[in-house]
């Protein structure tokens, strides 16, 4: 009886130990879109939250259970189970609610996030899939900024003039500003603004407004 009790307690202890997920994302991080929207990433215990708020529109939140984490040099790989029910009309992969996402370069100011590496996996596929670090290094990661860093960026100069626009657009690689076209992604815009000392929040909206006014 005593041996059975000890074995039961040991089983419970080992089960709890294996299920504990460490906190990878210790604060909220945000990605700024060109049109003034914002995507937020946060972790609470073993749950990953993704929140996307459209400009002048509603917010949509997704929830994932973090089943396991894997450290691969500069990358942190997250094995996830979707906790959201999908309407039947959008049921694109029935029974396949697992996926894999990755983070890198996590610090107090920012982290880089790749969404997703794999989606629509079965549990068996999730457990057996092999992650190739060379493929990770080819993925496009987006820069998410911490709430604290966004407050710091809010003290930077605001985009307000055609000169400001030219400085930022010309700092973006492969832009077509000189030929009368503006081409950039949110990632390019945010990094160019910070590099040149400008607040990236709503910069895309302001630049589009300036560009429209000078074209009239």
């Amino acid at each position: 009886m005593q041996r059975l009790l000890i074995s039961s307690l040991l089983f419970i202890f080992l089960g709890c130990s294996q299920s504990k997920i460490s906190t990878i994302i210790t604060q909220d991080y945000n990605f700024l879109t060109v049109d003034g929207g914002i995507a937020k990433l946060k972790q609470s215990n073993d749950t990953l939250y993704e929140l996307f708020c459209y400009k002048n529109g509603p917010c949509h939140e997704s929830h994932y259970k973090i089943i396991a984490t894997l450290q691969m040099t500069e990358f942190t790989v997250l094995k996830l189970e979707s906790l959201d029910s999908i309407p039947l009309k959008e049921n694109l992969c029935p029974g396949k609610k697992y996926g894999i996402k990755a983070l890198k370069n996590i610090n107090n100011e920012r982290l880089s996030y790749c969404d997703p590496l794999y989606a629509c996996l079965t549990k068996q596929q999730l457990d057996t899939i092999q992650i190739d670090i060379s493929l990770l290094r080819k993925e496009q990661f987006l820069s998410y900024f911490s709430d604290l860093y966004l407050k710091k960026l809010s003290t930077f100069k605001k985009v307000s003039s055609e000169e400001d626009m030219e400085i930022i657009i010309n700092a973006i690689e492969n832009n077509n500003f000189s030929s009368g076209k503006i081409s950039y992604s949110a990632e390019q815009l945010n990094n160019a603004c910070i590099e040149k000392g400008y607040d990236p929040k709503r910069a895309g909206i302001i630049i589009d407004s300036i560009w429209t006014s000078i074209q009239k």
Side-chain angles (χ1 to χ4, degrees):
M1 181 67 180
Q2 184 178 6
R3 181 179 298 177
L4 179 61
L5 178 61
I6 292 174
S7 299
S8 299
L9 290 173
L10 182 60
F11 176 79
I12 293 171
F13 174 77
L14 290 175
C16 293
S17 299
Q18 291 172 351
S19 63
K20 184 174 178 59
I21 296 296
S22 60
T23 300
I24 306 298
I25 304 173
T26 59
Q27 55 185 316
D28 293 2
Y29 289 85
N30 313 270
F31 180 73
L32 306 176
T33 68
V34 170
D35 62 358
I38 187 166
K40 186 178 288 287
L41 192 67
K42 63 181 180 179
Q43 179 184 350
S44 177
N45 299 319
D46 67 347
T47 304
L48 178 71
Y49 296 86
E50 289 181 339
L51 179 70
F52 186 82
C53 294
Y54 297 90
K55 183 191 71 171
N56 302 324
C59 295
H60 173 75
E61 189 170 58
S62 300
H63 314 77
Y64 304 90
K65 180 180 179 181
I66 304 173
I67 296 176
T69 63
L70 177 64
Q71 195 66 41
M72 301 179 67
T73 61
E74 71 267 37
F75 302 100
T76 301
V77 176
L78 306 177
K79 292 190 173 184
L80 305 169
E81 175 186 0
S82 175
L83 299 178
D84 300 311
S85 58
I86 304 174
L88 291 178
K89 66 179 181 179
E90 297 177 9
N91 197 359
L92 302 179
C93 45
K96 299 180 179 182
K97 58 181 180 178
Y98 300 93
I100 298 175
K101 304 188 181 187
L103 309 167
K104 71 174 181 178
N105 302 329
I106 304 171
N107 57 48
N108 287 331
E109 292 189 344
R110 67 172 74 189
L111 61 76
S112 298
Y113 183 50
C114 178
D115 176 31
L117 289 174
Y118 299 95
C120 289
L121 300 177
T122 63
K123 183 62 165 62
Q124 182 180 12
Q125 289 172 323
L126 182 76
D127 292 338
T128 57
I129 197 166
Q130 299 295 314
I131 309 298
D132 187 341
I133 194 167
S134 65
L135 294 179
L136 276 174
R137 292 187 171 129
K138 295 177 182 178
E139 291 290 336
Q140 181 179 6
F141 285 76
L142 299 179
S143 300
Y144 279 63
F145 307 120
S146 69
D147 287 349
L148 192 62
Y149 189 48
L150 282 184
K151 288 182 180 179
K152 178 180 177 180
L153 293 177
S154 69
T155 66
F156 284 21
K157 183 179 179 181
K158 310 299 179 186
V159 180
S160 60
S161 67
E162 185 177 346
E163 180 183 2
D164 295 333
M165 180 185 70
E166 290 186 19
I167 290 172
I168 293 168
I169 296 302
N170 286 323
I172 295 176
E173 186 179 5
N174 297 326
N175 76 81
N176 298 311
F177 183 71
S178 60
S179 62
K181 298 179 181 179
I182 294 180
S183 177
Y184 54 77
S185 68
E187 179 75 2
Q188 290 175 313
L189 177 64
N190 293 338
N191 288 325
C193 284
I194 294 171
E195 176 189 335
K196 297 300 180 180
Y198 291 90
D199 180 6
K201 192 171 184 179
R202 297 182 61 82
I205 295 176
I206 299 169
I207 287 174
D208 286 346
S209 177
I210 295 170
W211 179 252
T212 300
S213 68
I214 65 178
Q215 295 302 301
K216 291 180 179 179

